[in-house]
Amino acid sequence: VQLQASGGGLVQPGGSLRLSCAASGSHFSTNVMAWYRQAPGKERELVARIGTDYRTEYLDSVKDRFTISRDNALSVAYLKMDNLKPEDTAVYYCNSVHTTALGLRTISWGQGTQVTVSS
């Protein structure tokens, strides 16, 4: 699976952005999709994940502000970010995990998109 992330940019505090992650290849509907982020000098952290059953989980600091979704028909995952804060500034990466019936996992990463929240 190849992943192409887009939608990052510069936004003022309180603003919104929507990130997109377009996937090529097969198995999108059976992949768990996620967004991670990495700020300068910090480790990469999981921001949000959506399962094949559309169940979601979020980093505590983004709950009620970010929404992850997926469109299996288009093979795209989204991250809608509202009420952005300066501490959300980071490079955001999309991620997919495909697990076979035998338990073999294939992990793919997108190239990252910069989100900067600043006045």
Side-chain angles (χ1 to χ4, degrees):
V1 175
Q2 290 187 325
L3 303 175
Q4 180 72 38
S6 61
L10 172 64
V11 63
Q12 292 185 343
S16 298
L17 284 174
R18 189 180 76 159
L19 306 182
S20 299
C21 176
S24 61
S26 56
H27 304 304
F28 181 84
S29 64
T30 61
N31 292 351
V32 176
M33 300 299 298
W35 288 93
Y36 287 73
R37 69 186 181 187
Q38 187 166 20
K42 295 187 177 181
E43 293 187 353
R44 190 173 297 190
E45 62 181 356
L46 174 66
V47 176
R49 178 186 285 136
I50 184 167
T52 57
D53 58 359
Y54 293 87
R55 291 179 65 180
T56 58
E57 60 180 287
Y58 296 92
L59 180 68
D60 282 347
S61 62
V62 308
K63 283 180 181 177
D64 300 323
R65 299 189 298 120
F66 290 11
T67 303
I68 188 171
S69 61
R70 64 191 299 159
D71 187 329
N72 288 344
L74 297 178
S75 296
V76 180
Y78 302 98
L79 184 68
K80 179 70 179 351
M81 305 183 292
D82 295 314
N83 191 21
L84 281 160
K85 303 176 180 181
E87 51 264 42
D88 296 318
T89 295
V91 177
Y92 284 70
Y93 299 89
C94 62
N95 164 279
S96 74
V97 178
H98 175 70
T99 304
T100 71
L102 296 178
L104 298 176
R105 297 206 311 172
T106 301
I107 301 173
S108 302
W109 290 94
Q111 84 285 10
T113 184
Q114 176 70 46
V115 172
T116 302
V117 184
S118 176
S119 55

